[in-house]
Amino acid sequence: MKPQPTAYLDDLTAADRNQVQVLKNQILRRMAVYYLPPALLSIIALVYVNSNSISLGLGNSENLLGFINVALVVVAALTLRLFVNHIISSTKESKNWQKKVIQGKINGKKGNIIFIGNQQVKLDAAHAAQVKEGDDVIISQGISTGWILSLVKREPAA
């Protein structure tokens, strides 16, 4: 019978809190680059289409103008909502005072996902390159978002 991995909650250290803040800032910057340009472009297009509807030939076609308005508002609302959702989840993670710690041997690896017992952990590319199947590891991750705070390979006992 294989030993099951140990998973438990532990308090965040000062270094872990700093790591959470760094990850939060990186992810929010990345999400701002993904979601804000489409939202801003759709808002600008909405203002442009409505202010120049007659010169664009949309003055007589209210159905087409209404459809364009709805489409642009939906694009802006969805992208802004996704961005706000990332802000909310990042804020929740930064307010947590605990982390999830998983200890055990890596039973399998598929891309950036590793399997430790019956649990699977998704790693980023840098962490995934550090480990291979059979390694004994300690992984610290955020509770609500699953961000990897640290990955430590344990040396086998001699």
Side-chain angles (χ1 to χ4, degrees), residues 2-23:
K2 291 182 183 177
Q4 289 297 315
T6 305
Y8 58 92
L9 295 178
D10 196 8
D11 291 342
L12 285 173
T13 63
D16 290 336
R17 288 189 189 279
N18 290 338
Q19 180 69 18
V20 166
Q21 287 300 324
V22 167
L23 286 172

Side-chain angles (χ1 to χ4, degrees), residues 31-134:
M31 291 303 120
V33 169
Y34 290 155
Y35 294 125
L36 292 182
L40 292 175
L41 285 175
S42 62
I43 291 169
I44 291 169
L46 184 67
V47 170
Y48 178 77
V49 165
N50 284 311
S51 64
N52 295 319
S53 61
I54 304 229
S55 63
L56 293 172
L58 300 173
N60 297 332
S61 176
E62 290 187 19
N63 288 338
L64 181 60
L65 182 61
F67 176 75
I68 291 172
N69 283 339
V70 168
L72 291 173
V73 166
V74 166
V75 168
L78 284 178
T79 54
L80 288 174
R81 176 64 186 132
L82 288 171
F83 182 65
V84 168
N85 190 27
H86 281 287
I87 291 173
I88 291 169
S89 66
S90 298
T91 303
K92 277 184 187 176
E93 187 65 49
S94 66
K95 288 182 180 179
N96 278 340
W97 55 275
Q98 287 185 320
K99 63 183 175 183
K100 180 180 178 183
V101 179
I102 303 169
Q103 296 178 352
K105 280 193 183 257
I106 298 175
N107 297 334
K109 184 176 175 184
K110 185 176 183 181
N112 289 351
I113 299 175
I114 61 170
F115 301 95
I116 303 174
N118 60 354
Q119 298 187 21
Q120 67 181 25
V121 180
K122 185 175 182 189
L123 303 175
D124 58 352
H127 285 120
Q130 292 177 4
V131 296
K132 60 184 182 298
E133 194 170 332

